[in-house]
């Protein structure tokens, strides 16, 4: 790529490809410059250092979280839209779960915008600002952990997930059923690859039902 065509967007998109194929640890200024066919110095016109590069990558991915939040809808629906978008972005880009804890929050505009939006929705629901900040943090951790702990492994294909499910079933079937009756019964349900759509739908419902229940309790 020539210097004239090199843009911040091109830098971020290439960083995304590297992270997707080789992991977040492979995203370095030197690797990025080599992939783009420029010198590391050329990248500094667009990102000052690796910290800014990672923040720009997070910003790009998090921009979708508040893109379609309709201000006319109830807070519950708007919050669900944000959490669902976070889960979907993390599913599409599993390295996002590892990226968020290491970015420089001071330069991550989309992170601030999403966090501010969620805190605003939670205060609208009746939480105090400190409570809203806590709930927002738990929602972030819960949504990303949902992907990290996905049945079959994050990013695994259906065949791999089915094999992992088969191994889990065999491991559980080896346990003494009289000692672990519920695990033995659960093993019988592991007959194929996990239903990931159902898994994520249930997970989002579980997170948000807890938030709604606490909001209702605070109103009493």
């Amino acid at each position: 790529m020539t210097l004239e065509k090199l843009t911040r967007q091109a830098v971020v998109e290439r960083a995304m490809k590297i992270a997707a194929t080789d992991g977040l640890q492979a995203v370095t200024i030197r690797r990025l410059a080599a992939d783009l066919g420029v010198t590391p110095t050329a990248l500094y016109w667009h990102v000052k250092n690796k910290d800014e590069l990672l923040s720009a990558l997070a910003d790009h991915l998090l921009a979708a979280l508040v893109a379609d939040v309709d201000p006319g809808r109830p807070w519950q629906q708007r919050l669900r839209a944000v959490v669902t978008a976070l889960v979907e972005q993390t599913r599409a880009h599993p390295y996002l779960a590892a990226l968020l804890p290491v970015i420089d929050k001071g330069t991550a505009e989309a992170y601030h915008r999403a966090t501010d939006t969620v805190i605003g929705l939670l205060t609208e629901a009746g939480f105090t600002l400190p409570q809203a900040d806590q709930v927002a943090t738990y929602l972030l951790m819960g949504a990303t952990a949902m992907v990290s702990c996905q049945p079959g492994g994050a990013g695994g294909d259906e065949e791999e997930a089915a094999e992992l499910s088969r191994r889990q079933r065999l491991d559980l079937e080896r346990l003494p059923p009289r000692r672990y009756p519920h695990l033995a019964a659960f093993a019988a349900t592991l007959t194929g690859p996990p239903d990931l759509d159902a898994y994520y739908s249930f997970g989002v419902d579980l997170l948000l039902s807890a938030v709604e229940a606490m909001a209702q309790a605070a109103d009493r």
Side-chain angles (χ1 to χ4, degrees):
M1 180 175 292
T2 64
L3 291 180
E4 290 77 11
K5 293 183 179 179
L6 186 63
T7 63
R8 185 180 177 91
Q9 181 69 16
V11 170
V12 170
E13 289 177 355
R14 180 63 66 170
M16 289 175 58
K17 291 181 179 179
I18 295 173
T21 56
D22 298 328
L24 189 61
Q25 73 283 352
V27 180
T28 65
I29 296 293
R30 185 174 297 277
R31 166 68 186 277
L32 195 55
D35 276 25
L36 290 169
V38 299
T39 65
T41 304
L43 294 182
Y44 295 138
W45 290 96
H46 305 283
V47 288
K48 296 178 182 178
N49 49 44
K50 182 177 179 179
D51 287 341
E52 187 173 316
L53 170 62
L54 294 179
S55 292
L57 179 56
D59 258 2
H60 182 79
L61 296 175
L62 295 178
L65 269 59
V66 294
D68 298 320
V69 178
D70 183 351
R73 296 163 65 189
W75 70 264
Q76 296 94 330
Q77 294 180 17
R78 285 178 280 158
L79 183 61
R80 178 177 290 273
V82 175
V83 173
T84 300
L86 175 58
V87 170
E88 290 175 348
Q89 281 294 80
T90 311
R91 288 184 70 180
H93 311 279
Y95 57 85
L96 181 58
L99 176 62
L100 291 177
V102 302
I103 62 171
D104 179 2
K105 305 298 193 299
T107 60
E109 174 63 24
Y111 178 88
H112 287 151
R113 190 163 61 251
T115 303
D116 186 78
T117 297
V118 171
I119 288 178
L121 291 172
L122 292 169
T123 55
E124 184 179 335
F127 292 96
T128 65
L129 283 170
Q131 288 173 337
D133 178 68
Q134 282 187 312
V135 174
T137 300
Y138 284 126
L139 287 174
L140 173 63
M141 292 189 298
T144 54
M146 206 183 300
V147 180
S148 300
C149 300
Q150 169 183 298
D157 59 26
E158 185 172 326
E159 184 177 341
E160 181 181 353
E163 174 60 18
L164 288 172
S165 180
R166 186 187 71 82
R167 292 179 185 176
Q168 183 184 13
R169 185 185 74 249
L170 292 176
D171 287 342
L172 292 177
E173 287 176 346
R174 294 188 184 99
L175 296 174
R178 290 186 178 181
R179 187 172 182 180
Y180 305 105
H182 302 297
L183 288 176
F186 172 63
T189 70
L190 300 174
T191 57
D195 184 341
L196 293 181
D197 288 338
Y199 165 81
Y200 282 108
S201 178
F202 180 83
V204 172
D205 283 345
L206 188 64
L207 288 175
L208 296 179
S209 63
V211 175
E212 292 177 17
M214 291 185 70
Q216 291 174 359
D219 283 340
R220 294 173 185 169

